[in-house]
Amino acid sequence: MEQVVLLDEAGQPIGTEAKTVVHTDATPLHLAFSAWLFDDSGQLLLTRRAVSKKTWPGVWTNSFCGHPGPGESVEDAIVRRSIEELGLKSGDIADLRPVLPDFRYHAVDASGVVENEICPVYAARLIAGARLHPSRDEVEEFTWVDPTDLVAAVELTPFVFSPWLVEELADVRLRSVWC
């Protein structure tokens, strides 16, 4: 059973809880991550969350997300989730770097489920020749987009995207740390 790391307001671990029970209408603060995956031409991978997902089903979001397990580094969790969610192989991502290491957000899904996460944001590059084989439990569909086109789409239709993507994109642009 996947465990998430619970955090205090200072971002320090205070325990763990099963992922299946932590996301409710009173979700405690916990550790997560978001990853933005680029190809060699600078195109960004966007994924549409599976319609079977508990929160924000069917919305477009960043390349992939997840929760580091107890004792697992964020970087190791990113590699693990790239394999689980996108069907990549170990070594298929390179140049992994934090772009918003202090990102935190709170959002409420239409169903009433709350996201309450300290969620460092990372960018990485998909190595040439790597192939995506997304898990149908995680990804409904995917596309590669020009980051400038994503900015325009989010400005026109923010409701089509996950709230964390919208907030991350605004923070990335403000801090000029786009990949």
Side-chain angles (χ1 to χ4, degrees):
M1 179 179 303
E2 185 178 356
Q3 298 283 304
V4 299
V5 177
L6 304 178
L7 303 172
D8 66 16
E9 285 300 315
Q12 296 302 306
I14 57 170
T16 61
E17 184 62 77
K19 179 184 171 190
T20 56
V21 300
V22 77
H23 293 100
T24 66
D25 61 352
T27 302
L29 183 61
H30 61 280
L31 182 60
F33 70 84
S34 286
W36 296 76
L37 191 58
F38 294 84
D39 66 13
D40 284 336
S41 67
Q43 296 288 294
L44 170 65
L45 177 67
L46 282 187
T47 58
R48 185 170 163 243
R49 291 170 61 83
V51 296
S52 61
K53 298 288 281 183
K54 180 178 180 180
T55 57
W56 286 276
V59 302
W60 286 95
T61 195
N62 55 293
S63 305
F64 62 102
C65 304
H67 300 86
E72 183 180 37
S73 72
V74 173
E75 294 82 359
D76 286 346
I78 290 170
V79 171
R80 174 178 54 82
R81 287 298 295 163
S82 75
I83 295 166
E84 294 171 355
E85 191 165 330
L86 299 178
L88 294 174
K89 296 176 183 164
S90 181
D92 279 352
I93 60 174
D95 305 327
L96 182 63
R97 65 184 178 94
V99 292
L100 295 173
D102 302 320
F103 183 73
R104 179 178 176 172
Y105 79 100
H106 184 277
V108 182
D109 182 74
S111 69
V113 174
V114 172
E115 283 287 9
N116 185 19
E117 299 179 339
I118 292 179
C119 185
V121 180
Y122 280 71
R125 180 179 52 82
L126 184 67
I127 64 163
R131 299 281 183 245
L132 298 171
H133 302 282
S135 165
R136 298 318 271 164
D137 292 335
E138 300 289 341
V139 177
E140 194 70 27
E141 59 185 308
F142 66 90
T143 190
W144 291 93
V145 299
D146 182 286
T148 305
D149 294 339
L150 175 61
V151 169
V154 168
E155 287 174 353
L156 291 172
T157 58
F159 52 85
V160 173
F161 301 94
S162 69
W164 58 91
L165 177 143
V166 173
E167 289 185 39
E168 290 169 5
L169 186 58
D171 284 357
V172 164
R173 291 178 64 210
L174 286 175
R175 296 184 193 190
S176 299
V177 292
W178 193 259
C179 188

